[in-house]
Amino acid sequence: MDRRALFASGAAAALLAASGVSAQARPQRGGRLRAALSAVAGEGWADAAPSLFRQIARHAVHEGLTEIAADGTLRGNLAEVWDSPDQGRTWHFTLRAARWHDGSDVTPAQVAAALGGAVHKGRVVLTATPADAALPFRMAQPDALIAHPENPLLGTGLYTLNRYEAGRRAILDRVEAHPRADQAGWADVADLSGITAPATRLEALLHDMVDVIDHPENQTPVGLTRLGEALVGAGTHAPREIGQALPLDNFRLAERWWLA
């Protein structure tokens, strides 16, 4: 029940695993990644049952204590180390040094309050009733993303929210000094458009207005490439291993995909 037991490989292998790519297909830094995604008209940032459009945006802006990598393994996100001293009844998480996008420090008290936990000796403590050996995995789920307690638009993720138009558009700027900046967050800007009609999203891609769309239908038009549940145009790339637990690379499209 100690996260450190999950890591037995060398530093180089860990870096490649974190980014989800091999030595033969390295990501490129820069550019504006444009995506047209399923949305709900007028959807606010904090509305319940978020659409794919807002899930992609939220996972770029906010982080959880843990994260499930593309290969299905659990790794740390805001948490560096975790353990349970009582067989899963309580879990203790040690946070890495982190800052909110407004520059203020993240504190254990803020994280504990967001997750309904407590703080003990500087660690976030979560209690499970009954005992839950899988709680660290649950902390990687979308409903466990952590926002600033006073401003839900602020997070600690690889991208900061520059602009949000309810259900229509989210412009995300890369955070240069982020601890994971050498592992993900390749585009300078992730420009997400919420479009409800699948045919309209496809037209946008065919006319080079966007680089990637979610398109669940079976056909793949000539000149486009299917990557999981997405269609992409020329010059858009994804890691060799794409997370399948949730749509569009476990909602990590904005931080893990890149432009040639």
Side-chain angles (χ1 to χ4, degrees), residues 63 78 95-101 103-111 146 148 155-156:
E63 297 176 300
L78 272 178
L95 304 183
R96 63 169 168 81
R99 291 181 181 273
W100 300 107
H101 290 151
S104 60
D105 291 334
V106 175
T107 68
Q110 291 172 326
V111 174
I146 299 165
H148 191 284
T156 60

Side-chain angles (χ1 to χ4, degrees), residues 83-104:
D83 56 72
S84 175
D86 51 13
Q87 298 182 320
R89 286 188 293 273
T90 59
W91 284 91
H92 297 237
F93 295 84
T94 300
L95 304 183
R96 63 169 168 81
R99 291 181 181 273
W100 300 107
H101 290 151
D102 65 357
S104 60

